[in-house]
């Protein structure tokens, strides 16, 4: 079987299995830390705290005897959230609502808080005092976070082909919010995309901004998409932005790059077609490759394990190369809730290993998510799950130490709105750095052989990730698929189900068709209530 073949071929490694417990969709995480600046929007814990604080600010602002200009703008935006919340809308899982709450707290809250001391002697003084106390405990967003939230909208647009007008009207995936974006928002998003070198999208947004500014200039009333009280940008200014972005686009033009149009921008106009995102089709669930030859299987099976005789698995084969298996009803609702609870406080910004060194761990823009590791000693449920996963896969899933290590600990992933992970392999060594790591291992071991010296311990590296087993802990309202671009298939997150595949072929070589991505979450988040 694959396990023994990999063990014989990787001389100094123990065969390893990657197990992921995905809150939104599965991905590989190597280390975790705190939430980085500009990524506050991607942390469900922080976003829920912001919406709670935002609600308290809104209640106080409505009671003020007179409104500051910033308070009036805050209240105007907040009332839309209040309307949607009363309709049962999950505001913390809507990217437009998330962008809006960050905007209120970055642009308007500082002016409000500086004036609140005036009202401490009035009847609402106790409310103001309580609000100020809460503000000191909340991680408030910065300009960097507002820019990150704007770029999250661009990311969603790239993958799901969402028109600018849909964002402006608050319409996403057959879901319309009460929040509407204005000219100032349009300009902010366009500039963020330009600064991020997403030239084709910045030009597209700037053109829409030009349309809004022109409409505002020809009417004396405020339309649903213009907000003249907060921006003095004219159509002339926007035209300058467009020309600058077009020049950068043409000077840096690249084929097959989603940040550019399919052709250079021409001065006399013409069609401007956006290039397709490399993960767009598979994330939208489109058929991107020829149908799999032969028939795919779907049946109920105990997988040859006596432990599953009384509770056989629903087995669904999604692809043959690689063989991707979707197991249904692997976890119960109670187990999923418990896993979310015990990992909640340990979630931190996900990281990846850089290409310039095995131990140099850096965060890069290829992924935006939060993760936590769970070990067998963290809760009695973990060893039981490891045993269950072993019966399902037929592989040893029990984490250990040194040469006895057969699998990594469990990871719990959380992807909030706009969270994603670009196409990647779950392999660490055989994807390109195997020889480098092998030589380092030989050198380390040679220092301790033939007789182990005091204080000298050989470096036993874990085996490569021969297989991946992912479990979804909740459903996703929209987006968030696990996509396999080379295989041309994607998996819709289904609470309690698991996806399994081998990263290595039977001869120990890489199966490049296992390259997969975490598609951005369009609507919803996967934690529910705590």
């Amino acid at each position: 079987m694959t396990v023994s073949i990999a063990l014989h071929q990787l001389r100094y490694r123990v065969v390893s299995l990657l197990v992921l417990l995905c809150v939104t969709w599965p991905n590989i995480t190597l280390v975790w830390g705190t939430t980085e600046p500009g990524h506050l929007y991607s942390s469900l814990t922080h976003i829920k705290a912001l919406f709670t604080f935002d609600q308290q600010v809104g209640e106080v602002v409505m009671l003020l005897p007179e409104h500051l200009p910033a308070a009036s703008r805050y209240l105007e935006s907040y009332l839309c959230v209040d309307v949607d919340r009363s309709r049962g809308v999950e505001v913390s899982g809507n990217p437009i609502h998330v962008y809006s709450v960050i905007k209120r707290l970055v642009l308007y809250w500082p002016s409000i808080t500086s004036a609140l001391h005036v009202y401490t002697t009035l009847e609402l003084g106790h409310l103001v005092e309580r609000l100020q106390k809460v503000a000191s405990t909340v991680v408030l967003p910065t300009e960097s976070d507002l820019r990150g939230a704007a770029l999250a909208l661009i990311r969603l647009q790239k993958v799901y082909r969402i028109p600018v007008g849909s964002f402006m009207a608050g319409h996403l995936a057959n879901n319309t919010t009460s929040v509407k974006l204005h000219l100032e928002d349009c300009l902010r998003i366009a500039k963020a995309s330009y600064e991020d070198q997403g030239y084709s999208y910045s030009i597209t947004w700037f053109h829409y901004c030009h349309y809004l500014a022109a409409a505002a200039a020809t009417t004396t009333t405020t339309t649903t998409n213009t907000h003249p009280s907060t921006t003095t940008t004219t159509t002339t200014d926007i035209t300058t932005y467009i020309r600058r972005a077009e020049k950068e686009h043409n000077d840096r033009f690249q084929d097959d790059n989603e940040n550019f149009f399919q052709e250079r921008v021409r001065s006399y106009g013409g069609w401007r077609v956006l290039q397709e995102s490399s993960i767009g089709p598979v994330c939208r669930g489109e058929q991107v490759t020829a149908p799999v030859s032969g028939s795919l299987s779907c049946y109920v099976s105990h997988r040859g394990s006596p432990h599953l005789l009384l509770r056989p698995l629903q087995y669904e084969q999604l692809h043959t190369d690689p063989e991707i298996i979707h197991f249904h009803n692997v976890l119960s609702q109670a187990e999923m809730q418990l896993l979310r609870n015990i990992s909640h406080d340990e979630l931190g910004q996900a990281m990846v290993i850089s290409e310039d060194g095995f131990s140099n761990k850096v965060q890069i823009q290829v992924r935006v998510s939060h993760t936590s590791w769970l070990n067998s000693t963290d809760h009695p449920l973990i060893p039981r799950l490891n045993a269950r996963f072993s019966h399902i896969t037929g592989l040893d899933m029990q984490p250990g130490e040194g040469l006895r290590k057969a699998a990594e600990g469990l990871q719990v992933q959380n992807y909030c709105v706009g969270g994603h992970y670009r196409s990647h392999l779950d392999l660490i060594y055989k994807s390109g750095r195997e020889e480098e790591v092998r030589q380092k291992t030989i050198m380390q071991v040679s220092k301790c052989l033939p007789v182990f010296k005091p204080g000298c311990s050989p470096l036993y590296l874990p085996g490569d990730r021969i297989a991946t087993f992912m479990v979804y802990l909740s459903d996703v309202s929209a987006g968030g698929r696990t996509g396999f671009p080379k295989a041309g298939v994607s998996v819709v997150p289904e609470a309690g189900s698991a996806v399994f595949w081998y990263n290595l072929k039977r001869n120990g070589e890489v199966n490049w068709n296992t390259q997969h991505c975490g598609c951005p979450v369009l609507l919803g988040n996967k934690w529910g209530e705590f």
Side-chain angles (χ1 to χ4, degrees):
M1 65 181 296
T2 308
V3 176
S4 60
I5 291 175
L7 179 60
H8 286 116
Q9 291 196 349
L10 310 181
R11 296 177 57 193
Y12 293 104
R13 303 182 197 159
V14 184
V15 174
S16 179
L17 180 67
L18 174 62
V19 186
L20 302 176
L21 299 177
C22 299
V23 180
T24 297
W25 66 80
N27 277 309
I28 169 179
T29 302
L30 301 176
V31 298
W32 62 273
T34 57
T35 300
E36 297 294 323
H39 291 286
L40 200 65
Y41 70 92
S42 68
S43 169
L44 181 60
T45 302
H46 288 305
I47 287 300
K48 282 186 174 291
L50 290 185
F51 273 107
T52 299
F53 177 67
D54 175 63
Q55 188 171 10
Q56 294 174 326
V57 174
E59 291 170 352
V60 170
V61 169
M62 284 191 285
L63 296 175
L64 294 179
E66 58 185 26
H67 291 307
L68 303 165
S72 297
R73 293 169 190 160
Y74 197 108
L75 188 60
E76 177 186 349
S77 176
Y78 169 76
L79 290 176
C80 296
V81 183
D82 205 35
V83 169
D84 281 356
R85 189 181 282 118
S86 66
R87 292 166 44 208
V89 175
E90 186 185 10
V91 294
S92 63
N94 187 295
I96 299 178
H97 271 300
V98 170
Y99 166 84
S100 296
V101 71
I102 292 176
K103 182 184 76 170
R104 287 194 294 277
L105 293 173
V106 169
L107 300 183
Y108 310 141
W109 167 247
S111 298
I112 296 174
T113 187
S114 62
L116 281 179
H117 68 279
V118 176
Y119 305 102
T120 54
T121 59
L122 302 179
E123 279 188 18
L124 52 82
H126 68 286
L127 293 176
V128 172
E129 192 173 313
R130 186 184 69 177
L131 183 62
Q132 291 173 325
K133 185 178 296 184
V134 173
S136 65
T137 65
V138 176
V139 180
L140 292 173
T142 64
E143 286 280 356
S144 178
D145 295 301
L146 182 56
R147 179 177 180 274
L151 288 177
L153 298 181
I154 294 292
R155 190 179 305 127
L156 294 173
Q157 183 182 22
K158 288 181 179 180
V159 173
Y160 299 112
R161 289 182 169 177
I162 303 171
V164 175
S166 293
F167 283 109
M168 301 300 295
H171 184 75
L172 296 176
N174 298 321
N175 182 288
T176 301
T177 72
S178 298
V179 176
K180 306 294 183 287
L181 300 184
H182 307 294
L183 174 58
E184 63 177 46
D185 304 304
C186 184
L187 289 168
R188 182 176 297 108
I189 296 169
K191 291 177 181 178
S193 182
Y194 173 80
E195 293 167 358
D196 198 50
Q197 299 183 357
Y199 300 116
S200 59
Y201 289 90
S202 68
I203 293 170
T204 301
W205 278 83
F206 275 134
H207 274 288
Y208 200 95
C209 298
H210 189 279
Y211 158 74
L212 294 179
T218 57
T219 180
T220 57
T221 60
T222 302
T223 67
T224 57
N225 281 334
T226 57
H227 208 254
S229 62
T230 57
T231 181
T232 58
T233 305
T234 65
T235 54
T236 302
D237 297 328
I238 299 174
T239 299
T240 302
Y241 298 148
I242 293 174
R243 297 292 175 260
R244 185 184 306 162
E246 289 177 341
K247 183 178 185 306
E248 288 288 332
H249 175 278
N250 290 347
D251 290 345
R252 299 171 180 262
F253 181 78
Q254 297 178 25
D255 285 319
D256 299 323
N257 188 317
E258 62 188 23
N259 291 319
F260 298 87
F261 292 113
Q262 291 185 7
E263 297 179 354
R264 284 184 169 84
V265 176
R266 301 172 184 175
S267 58
Y268 53 84
W271 291 102
R272 297 181 179 183
V273 182
L274 294 168
Q275 296 198 45
E276 178 66 90
S277 166
S278 59
I279 65 173
V282 75
C283 286
R284 297 191 296 269
E286 299 174 2
Q287 180 71 46
V288 295
T289 61
V292 178
S293 58
S295 59
L296 298 176
S297 303
C298 186
Y299 54 85
V300 176
S301 170
H302 55 71
R303 301 282 289 172
S305 171
H307 298 275
L308 301 176
L309 284 174
L310 298 180
R311 190 186 175 186
L313 292 166
Q314 298 175 28
Y315 171 107
E316 181 183 2
Q317 187 182 35
L318 302 179
H319 205 271
T320 57
D321 183 23
E323 184 178 27
I324 304 172
I325 304 172
H326 195 183
F327 298 107
H328 300 271
N329 299 318
V330 172
L331 295 183
S332 66
Q333 288 291 339
E335 290 171 332
M336 289 185 284
Q337 184 63 54
L338 181 55
L339 287 168
R340 293 194 293 265
N341 289 343
I342 62 179
S343 62
H344 178 271
D345 293 337
E346 301 299 325
L347 284 172
Q349 187 73 42
M351 311 283 276
V352 296
I353 291 180
S354 66
E355 297 179 356
D356 59 352
F358 181 73
S359 62
N360 183 20
K361 305 175 181 69
V362 296
Q363 180 189 352
I364 56 179
Q365 276 290 65
V366 298
R367 74 170 309 163
V368 177
S369 66
H370 286 69
T371 188
S372 173
W373 291 87
L374 297 179
N375 298 312
S376 297
T377 57
D378 291 333
H379 194 278
L381 174 64
I382 307 303
R384 296 201 300 269
L385 291 182
N386 286 330
R388 186 186 306 169
F389 299 160
S390 294
H391 300 319
I392 294 173
T393 63
L395 301 176
D396 186 355
M397 304 283 279
Q398 297 295 340
E401 296 296 332
L403 290 175
R404 295 185 178 182
K405 184 172 183 178
E408 297 175 69
L410 303 183
Q411 298 180 48
V412 176
Q413 298 278 355
N414 173 230
Y415 290 74
C416 205
V417 291
H420 74 118
Y421 195 177
R422 293 182 185 174
S423 294
H424 64 282
L425 295 169
D426 280 348
L427 298 167
I428 297 177
Y429 313 118
K430 296 186 76 68
S431 58
R433 303 183 55 251
E434 181 175 20
E435 182 60 25
E436 174 192 346
V437 175
R438 189 179 74 86
Q439 291 298 329
K440 288 183 178 180
T441 303
I442 293 174
M443 291 179 61
Q444 181 69 20
V445 171
S446 65
K447 296 177 183 179
C448 302
L449 296 176
V451 179
F452 287 110
K453 304 171 185 177
C456 180
S457 59
L459 176 64
Y460 291 114
L461 289 175
D464 218 333
R465 292 163 166 170
I466 64 169
T468 299
F469 188 80
M470 304 187 193
V471 183
Y472 296 105
L473 298 186
S474 58
D475 302 314
V476 184
S477 299
R481 292 172 179 249
T482 302
F484 295 80
K486 290 184 179 295
V489 298
S490 61
V491 185
V492 178
E494 175 191 309
S497 69
V499 182
F500 175 68
W501 71 86
Y502 283 98
N503 299 301
L504 298 178
K505 298 179 180 179
R506 290 183 178 274
N507 63 0
E509 294 302 315
V510 179
N511 187 338
W512 296 98
N513 288 338
T514 62
Q515 186 180 89
H516 58 286
C517 64
C519 302
V521 175
L522 182 55
L523 287 175
N525 54 63
K526 309 318 300 172
W527 282 105
E529 300 298 327
F530 302 99

